[in-house]
PDB file of all heavy atoms in Angstrom:
ATOM      1  N   ILE N   1       0.870  -1.180   0.000  1.00 97.00           N
ATOM      2  CA  ILE N   1       0.000   0.000   0.000  1.00 97.00           C
ATOM      3  C   ILE N   1       0.906   1.229   0.000  1.00 97.00           C
ATOM      4  O   ILE N   1       1.746   1.399   0.884  1.00 97.00           O
ATOM      5  CB  ILE N   1      -0.931   0.000   1.228  1.00 97.00           C
ATOM      6  CG1 ILE N   1      -1.883  -1.198   1.158  1.00 97.00           C
ATOM      7  CG2 ILE N   1      -1.703   1.307   1.329  1.00 97.00           C
ATOM      8  CD1 ILE N   1      -2.700  -1.411   2.414  1.00 97.00           C
ATOM      9  N   ASP N   2       0.752   2.081  -1.010  1.00 97.00           N
ATOM     10  CA  ASP N   2       1.705   3.168  -1.187  1.00 97.00           C
ATOM     11  C   ASP N   2       1.057   4.556  -1.200  1.00 97.00           C
ATOM     12  O   ASP N   2       1.648   5.524  -1.674  1.00 97.00           O
ATOM     13  CB  ASP N   2       2.530   2.965  -2.453  1.00 97.00           C
ATOM     14  CG  ASP N   2       1.673   2.736  -3.692  1.00 97.00           C
ATOM     15  OD1 ASP N   2       0.435   2.893  -3.615  1.00 97.00           O
ATOM     16  OD2 ASP N   2       2.240   2.384  -4.752  1.00 97.00           O
ATOM     17  N   PHE N   3      -0.175   4.641  -0.674  1.00 98.00           N
ATOM     18  CA  PHE N   3      -0.822   5.949  -0.510  1.00 98.00           C
ATOM     19  C   PHE N   3      -1.314   6.026   0.927  1.00 98.00           C
ATOM     20  O   PHE N   3      -2.233   5.311   1.325  1.00 98.00           O
ATOM     21  CB  PHE N   3      -1.983   6.114  -1.490  1.00 98.00           C
ATOM     22  CG  PHE N   3      -2.685   7.441  -1.374  1.00 98.00           C
ATOM     23  CD1 PHE N   3      -1.968   8.627  -1.438  1.00 98.00           C
ATOM     24  CD2 PHE N   3      -4.057   7.500  -1.195  1.00 98.00           C
ATOM     25  CE1 PHE N   3      -2.608   9.849  -1.323  1.00 98.00           C
ATOM     26  CE2 PHE N   3      -4.715   8.717  -1.087  1.00 98.00           C
ATOM     27  CZ  PHE N   3      -3.988   9.900  -1.151  1.00 98.00           C
ATOM     28  N   ILE N   4      -0.679   6.881   1.726  1.00 98.00           N
ATOM     29  CA  ILE N   4      -0.977   7.012   3.149  1.00 98.00           C
ATOM     30  C   ILE N   4      -1.573   8.377   3.392  1.00 98.00           C
ATOM     31  O   ILE N   4      -0.969   9.407   3.051  1.00 98.00           O
ATOM     32  CB  ILE N   4       0.308   6.859   4.007  1.00 98.00           C
ATOM     33  CG1 ILE N   4       1.187   5.711   3.499  1.00 98.00           C
ATOM     34  CG2 ILE N   4      -0.055   6.702   5.481  1.00 98.00           C
ATOM     35  CD1 ILE N   4       0.541   4.363   3.530  1.00 98.00           C
ATOM     36  N   ASP N   5      -2.757   8.426   3.995  1.00 98.00           N
ATOM     37  CA  ASP N   5      -3.444   9.689   4.246  1.00 98.00           C
ATOM     38  C   ASP N   5      -3.538   9.950   5.746  1.00 98.00           C
ATOM     39  O   ASP N   5      -4.023   9.110   6.508  1.00 98.00           O
ATOM     40  CB  ASP N   5      -4.848   9.658   3.639  1.00 98.00           C
ATOM     41  CG  ASP N   5      -5.590  10.966   3.870  1.00 98.00           C
ATOM     42  OD1 ASP N   5      -5.418  11.882   3.042  1.00 98.00           O
ATOM     43  OD2 ASP N   5      -6.321  11.077   4.865  1.00 98.00           O
ATOM     44  N   THR N   6      -3.091  11.128   6.167  1.00 98.00           N
ATOM     45  CA  THR N   6      -3.159  11.501   7.576  1.00 98.00           C
ATOM     46  C   THR N   6      -3.537  12.973   7.679  1.00 98.00           C
ATOM     47  O   THR N   6      -3.959  13.595   6.704  1.00 98.00           O
ATOM     48  CB  THR N   6      -1.819  11.190   8.285  1.00 98.00           C
ATOM     49  OG1 THR N   6      -1.951  11.445   9.677  1.00 98.00           O
ATOM     50  CG2 THR N   6      -0.676  12.005   7.717  1.00 98.00           C
ATOM     51  N   ALA N   7      -3.373  13.561   8.869  1.00 98.00           N
ATOM     52  CA  ALA N   7      -3.652  14.983   9.085  1.00 98.00           C
ATOM     53  C   ALA N   7      -2.977  15.419  10.375  1.00 98.00           C
ATOM     54  O   ALA N   7      -2.806  14.620  11.301  1.00 98.00           O
ATOM     55  CB  ALA N   7      -5.160  15.245   9.179  1.00 98.00           C
ATOM     56  N   ASP N   8      -2.609  16.701  10.445  1.00 98.00           N
ATOM     57  CA  ASP N   8      -1.987  17.185  11.675  1.00 98.00           C
ATOM     58  C   ASP N   8      -2.958  17.137  12.858  1.00 98.00           C
ATOM     59  O   ASP N   8      -2.546  17.048  14.010  1.00 98.00           O
ATOM     60  CB  ASP N   8      -1.421  18.593  11.491  1.00 98.00           C
ATOM     61  CG  ASP N   8      -2.455  19.633  11.083  1.00 98.00           C
ATOM     62  OD1 ASP N   8      -3.643  19.469  11.389  1.00 98.00           O
ATOM     63  OD2 ASP N   8      -2.068  20.632  10.451  1.00 98.00           O
ATOM     64  N   SER N   9      -4.244  17.161  12.576  1.00 98.00           N
ATOM     65  CA  SER N   9      -5.259  17.176  13.642  1.00 98.00           C
ATOM     66  C   SER N   9      -5.539  15.802  14.231  1.00 98.00           C
ATOM     67  O   SER N   9      -6.265  15.696  15.225  1.00 98.00           O
ATOM     68  CB  SER N   9      -6.557  17.776  13.109  1.00 98.00           C
ATOM     69  OG  SER N   9      -7.001  17.080  11.956  1.00 98.00           O
ATOM     70  N   TYR N  10      -5.000  14.753  13.652  1.00 98.00           N
ATOM     71  CA  TYR N  10      -5.244  13.408  14.180  1.00 98.00           C
ATOM     72  C   TYR N  10      -4.345  13.187  15.393  1.00 98.00           C
ATOM     73  O   TYR N  10      -3.180  12.849  15.278  1.00 98.00           O
ATOM     74  CB  TYR N  10      -4.971  12.347  13.122  1.00 98.00           C
ATOM     75  CG  TYR N  10      -5.872  12.410  11.907  1.00 98.00           C
ATOM     76  CD1 TYR N  10      -5.549  11.740  10.733  1.00 98.00           C
ATOM     77  CD2 TYR N  10      -7.058  13.144  11.929  1.00 98.00           C
ATOM     78  CE1 TYR N  10      -6.370  11.785   9.620  1.00 98.00           C
ATOM     79  CE2 TYR N  10      -7.878  13.200  10.816  1.00 98.00           C
ATOM     80  CZ  TYR N  10      -7.531  12.525   9.656  1.00 98.00           C
ATOM     81  OH  TYR N  10      -8.343  12.574   8.553  1.00 98.00           O
ATOM     82  N   GLY N  11      -4.911  13.403  16.534  1.00 98.00           N
ATOM     83  CA  GLY N  11      -4.175  13.220  17.786  1.00 98.00           C
ATOM     84  C   GLY N  11      -4.314  14.369  18.765  1.00 98.00           C
ATOM     85  O   GLY N  11      -4.689  14.145  19.890  1.00 98.00           O
ATOM     86  N   PRO N  12      -4.038  15.618  18.438  1.00 98.00           N
ATOM     87  CA  PRO N  12      -3.365  16.046  17.216  1.00 98.00           C
ATOM     88  C   PRO N  12      -1.906  15.600  17.192  1.00 98.00           C
ATOM     89  O   PRO N  12      -1.319  15.333  18.236  1.00 98.00           O
ATOM     90  CB  PRO N  12      -3.470  17.574  17.281  1.00 98.00           C
ATOM     91  CG  PRO N  12      -3.570  17.881  18.741  1.00 98.00           C
ATOM     92  CD  PRO N  12      -4.300  16.732  19.371  1.00 98.00           C
ATOM     93  N   TYR N  13      -1.368  15.515  15.996  1.00 97.00           N
ATOM     94  CA  TYR N  13       0.043  15.244  15.726  1.00 97.00           C
ATOM     95  C   TYR N  13       0.459  13.789  15.930  1.00 97.00           C
ATOM     96  O   TYR N  13       1.503  13.377  15.422  1.00 97.00           O
ATOM     97  CB  TYR N  13       0.963  16.150  16.558  1.00 97.00           C
ATOM     98  CG  TYR N  13       0.554  17.602  16.563  1.00 97.00           C
ATOM     99  CD1 TYR N  13       0.498  18.341  17.733  1.00 97.00           C
ATOM    100  CD2 TYR N  13       0.193  18.232  15.374  1.00 97.00           C
ATOM    101  CE1 TYR N  13       0.112  19.680  17.723  1.00 97.00           C
ATOM    102  CE2 TYR N  13      -0.196  19.566  15.357  1.00 97.00           C
ATOM    103  CZ  TYR N  13      -0.241  20.283  16.536  1.00 97.00           C
ATOM    104  OH  TYR N  13      -0.642  21.597  16.523  1.00 97.00           O
ATOM    105  N   VAL N  14      -0.337  12.993  16.636  1.00 98.00           N
ATOM    106  CA  VAL N  14       0.054  11.620  16.966  1.00 98.00           C
ATOM    107  C   VAL N  14       0.238  10.774  15.713  1.00 98.00           C
ATOM    108  O   VAL N  14       1.237  10.054  15.562  1.00 98.00           O
ATOM    109  CB  VAL N  14      -0.990  10.981  17.904  1.00 98.00           C
ATOM    110  CG1 VAL N  14      -0.700   9.491  18.093  1.00 98.00           C
ATOM    111  CG2 VAL N  14      -1.017  11.696  19.246  1.00 98.00           C
ATOM    112  N   SER N  15      -0.724  10.835  14.809  1.00 98.00           N
ATOM    113  CA  SER N  15      -0.667  10.019  13.599  1.00 98.00           C
ATOM    114  C   SER N  15       0.552  10.365  12.759  1.00 98.00           C
ATOM    115  O   SER N  15       1.282   9.479  12.289  1.00 98.00           O
ATOM    116  CB  SER N  15      -1.956  10.208  12.787  1.00 98.00           C
ATOM    117  OG  SER N  15      -1.908   9.511  11.569  1.00 98.00           O
ATOM    118  N   GLU N  16       0.797  11.649  12.559  1.00 98.00           N
ATOM    119  CA  GLU N  16       1.960  12.047  11.766  1.00 98.00           C
ATOM    120  C   GLU N  16       3.264  11.576  12.421  1.00 98.00           C
ATOM    121  O   GLU N  16       4.184  11.139  11.734  1.00 98.00           O
ATOM    122  CB  GLU N  16       1.990  13.568  11.601  1.00 98.00           C
ATOM    123  CG  GLU N  16       0.961  14.112  10.624  1.00 98.00           C
ATOM    124  CD  GLU N  16       1.119  15.593  10.379  1.00 98.00           C
ATOM    125  OE1 GLU N  16       1.637  16.314  11.276  1.00 98.00           O
ATOM    126  OE2 GLU N  16       0.722  16.054   9.292  1.00 98.00           O
ATOM    127  N   ASP N  17       3.347  11.683  13.733  1.00 98.00           N
ATOM    128  CA  ASP N  17       4.555  11.245  14.432  1.00 98.00           C
ATOM    129  C   ASP N  17       4.820   9.755  14.205  1.00 98.00           C
ATOM    130  O   ASP N  17       5.958   9.343  13.962  1.00 98.00           O
ATOM    131  CB  ASP N  17       4.438  11.526  15.932  1.00 98.00           C
ATOM    132  CG  ASP N  17       4.787  12.973  16.284  1.00 98.00           C
ATOM    133  OD1 ASP N  17       5.573  13.594  15.551  1.00 98.00           O
ATOM    134  OD2 ASP N  17       4.266  13.474  17.299  1.00 98.00           O
ATOM    135  N   LEU N  18       3.771   8.930  14.303  1.00 98.00           N
ATOM    136  CA  LEU N  18       3.937   7.495  14.107  1.00 98.00           C
ATOM    137  C   LEU N  18       4.381   7.186  12.672  1.00 98.00           C
ATOM    138  O   LEU N  18       5.278   6.359  12.448  1.00 98.00           O
ATOM    139  CB  LEU N  18       2.641   6.756  14.424  1.00 98.00           C
ATOM    140  CG  LEU N  18       2.293   6.622  15.905  1.00 98.00           C
ATOM    141  CD1 LEU N  18       0.877   6.096  16.077  1.00 98.00           C
ATOM    142  CD2 LEU N  18       3.282   5.696  16.613  1.00 98.00           C
ATOM    143  N   ILE N  19       3.773   7.847  11.716  1.00 98.00           N
ATOM    144  CA  ILE N  19       4.144   7.632  10.316  1.00 98.00           C
ATOM    145  C   ILE N  19       5.586   8.068  10.078  1.00 98.00           C
ATOM    146  O   ILE N  19       6.350   7.413   9.364  1.00 98.00           O
ATOM    147  CB  ILE N  19       3.175   8.385   9.387  1.00 98.00           C
ATOM    148  CG1 ILE N  19       1.778   7.747   9.463  1.00 98.00           C
ATOM    149  CG2 ILE N  19       3.680   8.400   7.942  1.00 98.00           C
ATOM    150  CD1 ILE N  19       0.691   8.572   8.815  1.00 98.00           C
ATOM    151  N   GLY N  20       5.975   9.180  10.705  1.00 98.00           N
ATOM    152  CA  GLY N  20       7.317   9.702  10.530  1.00 98.00           C
ATOM    153  C   GLY N  20       8.409   8.809  11.092  1.00 98.00           C
ATOM    154  O   GLY N  20       9.578   8.937  10.721  1.00 98.00           O
ATOM    155  N   GLN N  21       8.028   7.900  11.979  1.00 97.00           N
ATOM    156  CA  GLN N  21       9.006   6.974  12.557  1.00 97.00           C
ATOM    157  C   GLN N  21       9.313   5.799  11.627  1.00 97.00           C
ATOM    158  O   GLN N  21      10.237   5.032  11.887  1.00 97.00           O
ATOM    159  CB  GLN N  21       8.493   6.449  13.900  1.00 97.00           C
ATOM    160  CG  GLN N  21       8.403   7.510  14.987  1.00 97.00           C
ATOM    161  CD  GLN N  21       7.706   7.013  16.232  1.00 97.00           C
ATOM    162  OE1 GLN N  21       7.730   5.832  16.548  1.00 97.00           O
ATOM    163  NE2 GLN N  21       7.063   7.919  16.952  1.00 97.00           N
ATOM    164  N   MET N  22       8.533   5.664  10.551  1.00 96.00           N
ATOM    165  CA  MET N  22       8.717   4.572   9.597  1.00 96.00           C
ATOM    166  C   MET N  22       9.458   5.068   8.359  1.00 96.00           C
ATOM    167  O   MET N  22       9.410   6.252   8.011  1.00 96.00           O
ATOM    168  CB  MET N  22       7.354   4.012   9.167  1.00 96.00           C
ATOM    169  CG  MET N  22       6.511   3.448  10.279  1.00 96.00           C
ATOM    170  SD  MET N  22       7.080   1.817  10.796  1.00 96.00           S
ATOM    171  CE  MET N  22       6.724   0.868   9.310  1.00 96.00           C
ATOM    172  N   GLU N  23      10.099   4.159   7.664  1.00 94.00           N
ATOM    173  CA  GLU N  23      10.695   4.459   6.368  1.00 94.00           C
ATOM    174  C   GLU N  23       9.669   4.153   5.278  1.00 94.00           C
ATOM    175  O   GLU N  23       9.059   3.081   5.280  1.00 94.00           O
ATOM    176  CB  GLU N  23      11.959   3.630   6.152  1.00 94.00           C
ATOM    177  CG  GLU N  23      13.090   3.953   7.123  1.00 94.00           C
ATOM    178  CD  GLU N  23      13.708   5.320   6.883  1.00 94.00           C
ATOM    179  OE1 GLU N  23      13.619   5.808   5.734  1.00 94.00           O
ATOM    180  OE2 GLU N  23      14.261   5.900   7.837  1.00 94.00           O
ATOM    181  N   TRP N  24       9.471   5.088   4.355  1.00 95.00           N
ATOM    182  CA  TRP N  24       8.495   4.913   3.277  1.00 95.00           C
ATOM    183  C   TRP N  24       9.178   5.173   1.934  1.00 95.00           C
ATOM    184  O   TRP N  24       8.956   6.208   1.296  1.00 95.00           O
ATOM    185  CB  TRP N  24       7.319   5.866   3.466  1.00 95.00           C
ATOM    186  CG  TRP N  24       6.592   5.680   4.760  1.00 95.00           C
ATOM    187  CD1 TRP N  24       6.750   6.402   5.898  1.00 95.00           C
ATOM    188  CD2 TRP N  24       5.613   4.680   5.046  1.00 95.00           C
ATOM    189  NE1 TRP N  24       5.911   5.932   6.883  1.00 95.00           N
ATOM    190  CE2 TRP N  24       5.196   4.878   6.399  1.00 95.00           C
ATOM    191  CE3 TRP N  24       5.027   3.644   4.303  1.00 95.00           C
ATOM    192  CZ2 TRP N  24       4.244   4.063   7.006  1.00 95.00           C
ATOM    193  CZ3 TRP N  24       4.074   2.848   4.903  1.00 95.00           C
ATOM    194  CH2 TRP N  24       3.684   3.059   6.239  1.00 95.00           C
ATOM    195  N   PRO N  25       9.998   4.259   1.469  1.00 89.00           N
ATOM    196  CA  PRO N  25      10.786   4.524   0.264  1.00 89.00           C
ATOM    197  C   PRO N  25       9.973   4.691  -1.007  1.00 89.00           C
ATOM    198  O   PRO N  25      10.415   5.367  -1.934  1.00 89.00           O
ATOM    199  CB  PRO N  25      11.711   3.302   0.173  1.00 89.00           C
ATOM    200  CG  PRO N  25      11.007   2.223   0.944  1.00 89.00           C
ATOM    201  CD  PRO N  25      10.288   2.925   2.050  1.00 89.00           C
ATOM    202  N   ARG N  26       8.777   4.099  -1.069  1.00 90.00           N
ATOM    203  CA  ARG N  26       8.012   4.155  -2.320  1.00 90.00           C
ATOM    204  C   ARG N  26       6.581   4.639  -2.105  1.00 90.00           C
ATOM    205  O   ARG N  26       5.731   4.432  -2.968  1.00 90.00           O
ATOM    206  CB  ARG N  26       7.987   2.771  -2.986  1.00 90.00           C
ATOM    207  CG  ARG N  26       9.339   2.322  -3.528  1.00 90.00           C
ATOM    208  CD  ARG N  26       9.286   0.948  -4.135  1.00 90.00           C
ATOM    209  NE  ARG N  26       8.967  -0.067  -3.133  1.00 90.00           N
ATOM    210  CZ  ARG N  26       9.863  -0.597  -2.311  1.00 90.00           C
ATOM    211  NH1 ARG N  26      11.118  -0.219  -2.366  1.00 90.00           N
ATOM    212  NH2 ARG N  26       9.499  -1.510  -1.432  1.00 90.00           N
ATOM    213  N   ALA N  27       6.302   5.300  -1.007  1.00 96.00           N
ATOM    214  CA  ALA N  27       4.928   5.691  -0.716  1.00 96.00           C
ATOM    215  C   ALA N  27       4.719   7.198  -0.889  1.00 96.00           C
ATOM    216  O   ALA N  27       5.635   7.996  -0.715  1.00 96.00           O
ATOM    217  CB  ALA N  27       4.558   5.295   0.708  1.00 96.00           C
ATOM    218  N   VAL N  28       3.490   7.548  -1.272  1.00 98.00           N
ATOM    219  CA  VAL N  28       3.054   8.939  -1.286  1.00 98.00           C
ATOM    220  C   VAL N  28       2.382   9.214   0.060  1.00 98.00           C
ATOM    221  O   VAL N  28       1.415   8.540   0.424  1.00 98.00           O
ATOM    222  CB  VAL N  28       2.064   9.193  -2.441  1.00 98.00           C
ATOM    223  CG1 VAL N  28       1.428  10.569  -2.311  1.00 98.00           C
ATOM    224  CG2 VAL N  28       2.782   9.059  -3.784  1.00 98.00           C
ATOM    225  N   ILE N  29       2.910  10.182   0.789  1.00 98.00           N
ATOM    226  CA  ILE N  29       2.344  10.545   2.086  1.00 98.00           C
ATOM    227  C   ILE N  29       1.530  11.824   1.911  1.00 98.00           C
ATOM    228  O   ILE N  29       2.078  12.868   1.534  1.00 98.00           O
ATOM    229  CB  ILE N  29       3.438  10.765   3.148  1.00 98.00           C
ATOM    230  CG1 ILE N  29       4.372   9.549   3.217  1.00 98.00           C
ATOM    231  CG2 ILE N  29       2.810  11.065   4.502  1.00 98.00           C
ATOM    232  CD1 ILE N  29       3.719   8.284   3.684  1.00 98.00           C
ATOM    233  N   ALA N  30       0.248  11.728   2.169  1.00 98.00           N
ATOM    234  CA  ALA N  30      -0.640  12.887   2.093  1.00 98.00           C
ATOM    235  C   ALA N  30      -1.038  13.292   3.508  1.00 98.00           C
ATOM    236  O   ALA N  30      -1.309  12.440   4.350  1.00 98.00           O
ATOM    237  CB  ALA N  30      -1.892  12.543   1.286  1.00 98.00           C
ATOM    238  N   THR N  31      -1.056  14.598   3.760  1.00 98.00           N
ATOM    239  CA  THR N  31      -1.538  15.064   5.052  1.00 98.00           C
ATOM    240  C   THR N  31      -2.447  16.273   4.843  1.00 98.00           C
ATOM    241  O   THR N  31      -2.576  16.785   3.723  1.00 98.00           O
ATOM    242  CB  THR N  31      -0.378  15.370   6.025  1.00 98.00           C
ATOM    243  OG1 THR N  31      -0.907  15.553   7.346  1.00 98.00           O
ATOM    244  CG2 THR N  31       0.411  16.594   5.602  1.00 98.00           C
ATOM    245  N   LYS N  32      -3.075  16.694   5.913  1.00 98.00           N
ATOM    246  CA  LYS N  32      -4.044  17.782   5.837  1.00 98.00           C
ATOM    247  C   LYS N  32      -3.814  18.759   6.985  1.00 98.00           C
ATOM    248  O   LYS N  32      -3.260  18.399   8.018  1.00 98.00           O
ATOM    249  CB  LYS N  32      -5.478  17.227   5.931  1.00 98.00           C
ATOM    250  CG  LYS N  32      -5.827  16.263   4.817  1.00 98.00           C
ATOM    251  CD  LYS N  32      -7.253  15.745   4.933  1.00 98.00           C
ATOM    252  CE  LYS N  32      -7.449  14.760   6.071  1.00 98.00           C
ATOM    253  NZ  LYS N  32      -6.677  13.494   5.891  1.00 98.00           N
ATOM    254  N   GLY N  33      -4.264  19.993   6.795  1.00 98.00           N
ATOM    255  CA  GLY N  33      -4.202  21.000   7.833  1.00 98.00           C
ATOM    256  C   GLY N  33      -5.395  21.928   7.724  1.00 98.00           C
ATOM    257  O   GLY N  33      -6.041  22.003   6.674  1.00 98.00           O
ATOM    258  N   GLY N  34      -5.683  22.639   8.799  1.00 98.00           N
ATOM    259  CA  GLY N  34      -6.797  23.581   8.783  1.00 98.00           C
ATOM    260  C   GLY N  34      -7.767  23.411   9.930  1.00 98.00           C
ATOM    261  O   GLY N  34      -8.753  24.129  10.013  1.00 98.00           O
ATOM    262  N   PHE N  35      -7.499  22.455  10.818  1.00 98.00           N
ATOM    263  CA  PHE N  35      -8.284  22.275  12.037  1.00 98.00           C
ATOM    264  C   PHE N  35      -7.378  22.473  13.246  1.00 98.00           C
ATOM    265  O   PHE N  35      -6.219  22.031  13.238  1.00 98.00           O
ATOM    266  CB  PHE N  35      -8.857  20.859  12.136  1.00 98.00           C
ATOM    267  CG  PHE N  35     -10.186  20.652  11.467  1.00 98.00           C
ATOM    268  CD1 PHE N  35     -10.384  19.564  10.639  1.00 98.00           C
ATOM    269  CD2 PHE N  35     -11.247  21.511  11.684  1.00 98.00           C
ATOM    270  CE1 PHE N  35     -11.615  19.336  10.034  1.00 98.00           C
ATOM    271  CE2 PHE N  35     -12.476  21.304  11.080  1.00 98.00           C
ATOM    272  CZ  PHE N  35     -12.662  20.221  10.259  1.00 98.00           C
ATOM    273  N   VAL N  36      -7.903  23.084  14.290  1.00 97.00           N
ATOM    274  CA  VAL N  36      -7.264  22.994  15.601  1.00 97.00           C
ATOM    275  C   VAL N  36      -8.146  22.109  16.463  1.00 97.00           C
ATOM    276  O   VAL N  36      -9.359  22.033  16.265  1.00 97.00           O
ATOM    277  CB  VAL N  36      -7.072  24.375  16.271  1.00 97.00           C
ATOM    278  CG1 VAL N  36      -6.099  25.212  15.475  1.00 97.00           C
ATOM    279  CG2 VAL N  36      -8.396  25.116  16.420  1.00 97.00           C
ATOM    280  N   ARG N  37      -7.523  21.456  17.424  1.00 97.00           N
ATOM    281  CA  ARG N  37      -8.238  20.535  18.296  1.00 97.00           C
ATOM    282  C   ARG N  37      -8.288  21.117  19.708  1.00 97.00           C
ATOM    283  O   ARG N  37      -7.271  21.473  20.283  1.00 97.00           O
ATOM    284  CB  ARG N  37      -7.533  19.178  18.323  1.00 97.00           C
ATOM    285  CG  ARG N  37      -7.383  18.509  16.970  1.00 97.00           C
ATOM    286  CD  ARG N  37      -8.729  18.186  16.335  1.00 97.00           C
ATOM    287  NE  ARG N  37      -9.581  17.416  17.220  1.00 97.00           N
ATOM    288  CZ  ARG N  37      -9.450  16.111  17.461  1.00 97.00           C
ATOM    289  NH1 ARG N  37      -8.481  15.433  16.867  1.00 97.00           N
ATOM    290  NH2 ARG N  37     -10.267  15.483  18.289  1.00 97.00           N
ATOM    291  N   THR N  38      -9.481  21.204  20.253  1.00 96.00           N
ATOM    292  CA  THR N  38      -9.660  21.726  21.606  1.00 96.00           C
ATOM    293  C   THR N  38     -10.107  20.639  22.574  1.00 96.00           C
ATOM    294  O   THR N  38     -10.392  20.933  23.736  1.00 96.00           O
ATOM    295  CB  THR N  38     -10.682  22.874  21.601  1.00 96.00           C
ATOM    296  OG1 THR N  38     -11.911  22.417  21.022  1.00 96.00           O
ATOM    297  CG2 THR N  38     -10.155  24.050  20.774  1.00 96.00           C
ATOM    298  N   GLY N  39     -10.161  19.407  22.108  1.00 97.00           N
ATOM    299  CA  GLY N  39     -10.536  18.286  22.955  1.00 97.00           C
ATOM    300  C   GLY N  39     -10.986  17.119  22.117  1.00 97.00           C
ATOM    301  O   GLY N  39     -11.071  17.211  20.874  1.00 97.00           O
ATOM    302  N   PRO N  40     -11.281  15.969  22.752  1.00 98.00           N
ATOM    303  CA  PRO N  40     -11.741  14.791  22.010  1.00 98.00           C
ATOM    304  C   PRO N  40     -12.986  15.100  21.175  1.00 98.00           C
ATOM    305  O   PRO N  40     -13.941  15.720  21.665  1.00 98.00           O
ATOM    306  CB  PRO N  40     -12.039  13.780  23.113  1.00 98.00           C
ATOM    307  CG  PRO N  40     -11.201  14.215  24.271  1.00 98.00           C
ATOM    308  CD  PRO N  40     -11.168  15.713  24.202  1.00 98.00           C
ATOM    309  N   ASP N  41     -12.952  14.689  19.915  1.00 97.00           N
ATOM    310  CA  ASP N  41     -14.074  14.854  18.991  1.00 97.00           C
ATOM    311  C   ASP N  41     -14.437  16.309  18.728  1.00 97.00           C
ATOM    312  O   ASP N  41     -15.538  16.592  18.231  1.00 97.00           O
ATOM    313  CB  ASP N  41     -15.319  14.089  19.484  1.00 97.00           C
ATOM    314  CG  ASP N  41     -15.164  12.583  19.347  1.00 97.00           C
ATOM    315  OD1 ASP N  41     -14.618  12.136  18.324  1.00 97.00           O
ATOM    316  OD2 ASP N  41     -15.571  11.861  20.281  1.00 97.00           O
ATOM    317  N   LEU N  42     -13.558  17.239  19.031  1.00 98.00           N
ATOM    318  CA  LEU N  42     -13.795  18.655  18.773  1.00 98.00           C
ATOM    319  C   LEU N  42     -12.853  19.127  17.663  1.00 98.00           C
ATOM    320  O   LEU N  42     -11.649  18.902  17.723  1.00 98.00           O
ATOM    321  CB  LEU N  42     -13.580  19.489  20.038  1.00 98.00           C
ATOM    322  CG  LEU N  42     -14.526  19.185  21.204  1.00 98.00           C
ATOM    323  CD1 LEU N  42     -14.124  19.983  22.439  1.00 98.00           C
ATOM    324  CD2 LEU N  42     -15.972  19.488  20.824  1.00 98.00           C
ATOM    325  N   TRP N  43     -13.435  19.780  16.667  1.00 98.00           N
ATOM    326  CA  TRP N  43     -12.676  20.197  15.484  1.00 98.00           C
ATOM    327  C   TRP N  43     -13.071  21.628  15.154  1.00 98.00           C
ATOM    328  O   TRP N  43     -14.236  21.908  14.875  1.00 98.00           O
ATOM    329  CB  TRP N  43     -13.006  19.296  14.289  1.00 98.00           C
ATOM    330  CG  TRP N  43     -12.909  17.827  14.584  1.00 98.00           C
ATOM    331  CD1 TRP N  43     -13.818  17.065  15.282  1.00 98.00           C
ATOM    332  CD2 TRP N  43     -11.852  16.942  14.212  1.00 98.00           C
ATOM    333  NE1 TRP N  43     -13.382  15.770  15.352  1.00 98.00           N
ATOM    334  CE2 TRP N  43     -12.183  15.657  14.716  1.00 98.00           C
ATOM    335  CE3 TRP N  43     -10.662  17.114  13.504  1.00 98.00           C
ATOM    336  CZ2 TRP N  43     -11.360  14.551  14.515  1.00 98.00           C
ATOM    337  CZ3 TRP N  43      -9.847  16.018  13.307  1.00 98.00           C
ATOM    338  CH2 TRP N  43     -10.195  14.751  13.806  1.00 98.00           C
ATOM    339  N   VAL N  44     -12.106  22.537  15.166  1.00 98.00           N
ATOM    340  CA  VAL N  44     -12.378  23.950  14.908  1.00 98.00           C
ATOM    341  C   VAL N  44     -11.565  24.389  13.686  1.00 98.00           C
ATOM    342  O   VAL N  44     -10.336  24.352  13.715  1.00 98.00           O
ATOM    343  CB  VAL N  44     -12.001  24.815  16.121  1.00 98.00           C
ATOM    344  CG1 VAL N  44     -12.309  26.291  15.841  1.00 98.00           C
ATOM    345  CG2 VAL N  44     -12.727  24.342  17.379  1.00 98.00           C
TER     346      VAL N  44
END
């Protein structure tokens, strides 16, 4: 699987950190921005 989709708001930052710890020599990494998180299940 070579298309990975994440976002800075997932965690926040947790998902990106985990992905960043892996080597992805042939994958396209997509991420998103534009939300701030003020708590669980809250998206601004």
Side-chain angles (χ1 to χ4, degrees):
I1 296 171
D2 53 9
F3 180 53
I4 317 299
D5 181 87
T6 185
D8 59 26
S9 55
Y10 297 164
Y13 314 133
V14 172
S15 176
E16 286 186 333
D17 278 333
L18 285 170
I19 292 168
Q21 293 172 28
M22 300 283 294
E23 295 290 335
W24 301 98
R26 291 178 296 278
V28 170
I29 307 295
T31 192
K32 299 181 288 295
F35 273 133
V36 295
R37 302 297 307 283
T38 56
D41 288 320
L42 297 175
W43 310 76
V44 181

